[in-house]
């Protein structure tokens, strides 16, 4: 059976390339506008994308925000507005699972799911960046084991709340003067090391009794284990197909070990494309954008991602691979660093070339024609390196139009991507059942309180 490609759009302020805004007329709409994002959302739906994916860094302005636009709106609120401007496309909001309150998050995402009639997704992140902790007044930095215990509790609490008011509990019996039958509710009674919540969420946890779709980002072993238990889709950074195949096989194996159907866990790496009518034209397009950037911030970014100071290196030489191999990195950095170093070695990149090949902040880049990009996407999907991709566009919206007219048309002509939506909900369009392990129902039909870790 021919595998269908899954495509989501990473909705950036002006595009994935940090110099994109310098090619566009100046406006503050990139920070807080609605019309600009509505235009892009409608384009994505016209192209029959599975979902709009809004990555988000919770926190105040950081150093990079002073050099380029960063969409500042609350992702869930923005997506709720876009829900009213679209009909089929999924709407995935990034929210942390180690900051905030499970009840507030459960209500927010459930509301988005009802507003959009089953098109909501929650992208779970566990990052604890300085800018986030400073904005929230959090001083503590959790060790990895504690961080993932806390995230597990947060998700479990949210899931218990989502299960607490099944649709069948809303009986609306006028004669009995009964609107909600308490006997059919499943009150959450969650008490953990970090979070406590009890009671019934005041709305069903998802549209028509099905919980919102769960995305999760990360690549460490603990992140994979968390995703294998909870996520419907993993947003990941994968630069080489063989490493992505290993990643996919591992997480799907972990899903099976958790009693899940491995096909219910999609692997969707980020992919940044720069297109041209010819490969030479695409490379020239990227060169022109690259020339608008200062080298200093790129050096700082690469230094952070490698946990290795590259500022004193010869930019026209290759990385000192032996020295890099001898230096350990933090667990949260290791997976991304390994991908970055492996690709640099494979492609024989100089440090300077790597600086301008790392503009995606960890996502793989293809510079070429629509045919070349479509070939690459199909190759990754057919060899089980991924189930699809989260697409990053160099300059929005013009670059997205080119992607739609070029790459999407290529995939459709090959029978690898839908021409029309087959379903109305994100879960159905992605083809993931959402069935939890152990044979329980996804709508939480059994009665009684949900304690401890809740249900998947």
């Amino acid at each position: 059976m021919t595998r269908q490609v899954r495509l989501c759009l990473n909705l950036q302020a002006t595009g994935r390339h940090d110099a994109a805004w310098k090619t566009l007329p100046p406006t503050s709409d990139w920070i807080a506008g609605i019309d600009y994002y509505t235009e892009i959302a409608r384009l994505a739906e016209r192209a029959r994308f599975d979902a709009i994916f809004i990555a988000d860094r919770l926190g105040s302005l950081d150093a990079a925000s002073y050099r380029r636009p960063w969409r500042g709106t609350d992702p869930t609120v923005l997506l709720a507005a876009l829900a009213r401007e679209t009909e089929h496309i999924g709407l995935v909001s990034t929210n942390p699972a180690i900051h905030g309150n499970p009840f507030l998050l459960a209500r927010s995402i459930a509301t988005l799911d009802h507003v959009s009639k089953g098109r909501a997704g929650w992208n779970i992140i566990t990052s604890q960046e300085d800018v986030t902790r400073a904005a929230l007044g959090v001083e503590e930095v959790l060790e990895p084991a504690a961080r993932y215990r806390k995230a597990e509790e947060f998700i479990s609490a949210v899931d218990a709340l989502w299960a607490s008011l099944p649709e069948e509990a809303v009986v609306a019996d006028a004669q009995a003067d009964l609107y909600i039958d308490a006997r059919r509710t499943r009150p959450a009674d969650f008490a953990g090391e970090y979070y406590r919540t009890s009671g019934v969420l005041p709305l069903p946890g998802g549209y028509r009794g099905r919980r919102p779709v769960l995305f999760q980002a990360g690549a460490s072993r603990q992140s994979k284990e968390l995703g294998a238990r909870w996520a419907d889709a993993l947003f990941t950074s994968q630069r080489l197909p063989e490493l992505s195949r290993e990643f996919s096989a591992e997480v799907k194996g972990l899903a099976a070990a958790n009693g899940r159907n491995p096909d219910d866990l999609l692997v969707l790496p980020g992919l940044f494309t720069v297109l041209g009518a010819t490969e030479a034209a695409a490379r020239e397009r990227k060169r022109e954008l690259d020339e608008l950037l200062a080298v200093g911030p790129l050096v700082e970014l690469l230094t952070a991602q490698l946990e290795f100071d590259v500022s004193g290196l010869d930019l026209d030489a290759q990385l000192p691979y032996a020295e890099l191999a001898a230096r350990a990195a933090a667990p949260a950095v290791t997976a991304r660093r390994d991908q970055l170093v492996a690709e640099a070695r494979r492609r024989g990149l100089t440090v300077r070339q790597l600086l301008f090949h790392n503009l995606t902040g960890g996502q793989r880049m293809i510079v070429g024609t629509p045919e070349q990009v479509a070939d690459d996407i199909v190759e990754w999907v057919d060899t089980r390196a991924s189930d699809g991709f989260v697409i990053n566009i160099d300059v929005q919206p013009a670059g997205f139009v080119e992607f739609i007219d070029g790459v999407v048309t290529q995939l459709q002509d090959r029978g690898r991507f839908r021409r029309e939506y087959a379903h109305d909900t994100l879960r159905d369009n992605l083809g993931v059942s959402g069935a939890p392990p152990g044979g329980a129902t996804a709508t939480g039909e059994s009665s009684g309180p949900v304690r401890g870790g809740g249900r998947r």
Side-chain angles (χ1 to χ4, degrees):
M1 180 178 176
T2 301
R3 300 186 75 209
Q4 290 293 295
V5 175
R6 306 299 182 194
L7 293 178
C8 300
L9 173 69
N10 190 4
L11 184 61
Q12 301 287 324
T14 56
R16 180 75 263 187
H17 198 288
D18 285 352
W21 68 278
K22 298 181 180 181
T23 70
L24 300 170
T27 175
S28 63
D29 286 351
W30 303 324
I31 298 176
I34 181 61
D35 294 339
Y36 172 75
Y37 294 108
T38 297
E39 176 187 0
I40 297 170
R42 287 172 174 168
L43 284 171
E45 184 160 84
R46 190 196 89 190
R48 306 301 187 253
F49 267 51
D50 288 281
I52 299 165
F53 181 99
I54 294 188
D56 189 63
R57 172 181 292 174
L58 183 63
S60 53
L61 291 178
D62 61 4
S65 303
Y66 291 93
R67 297 192 306 271
R68 60 170 173 78
W70 178 263
R71 179 196 39 73
T73 49
D74 181 300
T76 309
V77 175
L78 175 59
L79 289 170
L82 296 180
R84 307 306 296 164
E85 303 293 336
T86 55
E87 294 181 356
H88 292 92
I89 196 164
L91 306 160
V92 182
S93 177
T94 296
N95 288 275
I98 61 169
H99 301 298
N101 182 281
F103 179 89
L104 296 178
L105 187 283
R107 185 176 67 165
S108 177
I109 298 297
T111 299
L112 178 62
D113 205 44
H114 286 284
V115 168
S116 65
K117 298 183 178 179
R119 296 186 281 134
W122 171 27
N123 178 43
I124 302 163
I125 58 171
T126 60
S127 57
Q128 45 185 350
E129 296 174 287
D130 291 346
V131 67
T132 302
R133 292 187 297 104
L136 299 179
V138 176
E139 296 183 358
E140 182 183 24
V141 178
L142 297 172
E143 294 298 319
R147 179 159 58 101
Y148 281 99
R149 285 200 312 273
K150 188 174 184 181
E152 185 90 35
E153 282 192 17
F154 192 107
I155 301 166
S156 297
V158 168
D159 196 57
L161 288 163
W162 280 346
S164 64
L165 183 59
E167 281 200 327
E168 61 270 17
V170 184
V171 295
D173 188 338
Q175 286 188 330
D177 192 31
L178 185 66
Y179 184 63
I180 292 176
D181 185 346
R183 296 171 300 174
R184 301 188 187 188
T185 65
R186 304 181 70 235
D189 183 12
F190 185 93
E193 179 183 359
Y194 299 97
Y195 297 107
R196 300 175 65 90
T197 188
S198 62
V200 178
L201 194 71
L203 78 167
Y207 182 67
R208 292 180 178 170
R210 303 176 76 191
R211 67 158 173 77
V213 172
L214 298 185
F215 279 63
Q216 192 240 343
S220 69
R221 175 67 185 188
Q222 288 162 312
S223 177
K224 294 173 188 174
E225 291 173 346
L226 183 73
R229 285 191 292 275
W230 290 100
D232 301 294
L234 297 180
F235 174 43
T236 177
S237 298
Q238 300 293 329
R239 289 177 173 266
L240 296 174
E242 62 271 21
L243 295 180
S244 192
R245 280 193 290 274
E246 292 175 8
F247 177 90
S248 296
E250 181 182 5
V251 295
K252 288 174 186 282
L254 289 170
N258 278 279
R260 301 180 57 193
N261 178 352
D263 291 337
D264 280 341
L265 179 59
L266 304 179
V267 174
L268 303 174
L271 179 62
F272 174 26
T273 64
V274 181
L275 299 175
T278 65
E279 184 175 345
R283 294 193 178 282
E284 177 61 17
R285 172 177 177 151
K286 180 175 179 296
R287 186 193 65 77
E288 290 176 352
L289 287 168
D290 290 349
E291 285 188 345
L292 298 174
L293 293 175
V295 173
L298 300 180
V299 171
E300 293 173 4
L301 174 62
L302 186 59
T303 292
Q305 290 184 330
L306 296 178
E307 282 198 348
F308 182 89
D309 186 4
V310 301
S311 62
L313 298 178
D314 180 354
L315 296 187
D316 295 312
Q318 293 190 11
L319 288 170
Y321 293 111
E323 191 174 353
L324 274 168
R327 294 199 184 184
V333 173
T334 299
R336 176 171 287 185
R337 186 178 81 162
D338 289 349
Q339 290 270 344
L340 196 57
V341 170
E343 186 181 23
R345 189 192 291 270
R346 169 77 59 85
R347 296 169 64 90
L349 300 176
T350 66
V351 176
R352 188 186 308 278
Q353 288 171 328
L354 182 57
L355 291 176
F356 288 97
H357 195 70
N358 191 42
L359 299 169
T360 58
Q363 307 305 315
R364 187 168 67 100
M365 179 189 298
I366 302 179
V367 181
T369 67
E371 293 83 359
Q372 289 172 323
V373 173
D375 287 344
D376 182 274
I377 288 174
V378 168
E379 175 71 14
W380 275 59
V381 171
D382 284 351
T383 60
R384 305 282 173 167
S386 76
D387 296 291
F389 293 94
V390 177
I391 300 299
N392 297 266
I393 301 300
D394 55 354
V395 181
Q396 291 177 171
F400 191 31
V401 173
E402 293 171 9
F403 186 92
I404 294 169
D405 293 342
V407 179
V408 172
T409 297
Q410 282 277 331
L411 294 173
Q412 290 173 333
D413 289 346
R414 302 180 195 189
R416 305 307 299 269
F417 192 68
R418 68 171 71 85
R419 293 186 184 276
E420 296 294 340
Y421 289 105
H423 306 283
D424 293 328
T425 70
L426 174 58
R427 180 170 299 284
D428 287 334
N429 280 321
L430 286 175
V432 290
S433 72
T441 64
T443 53
E445 292 177 356
S446 62
S447 61
V450 179
R451 304 179 185 276
R455 61 175 183 106
R456 199 195 81 76

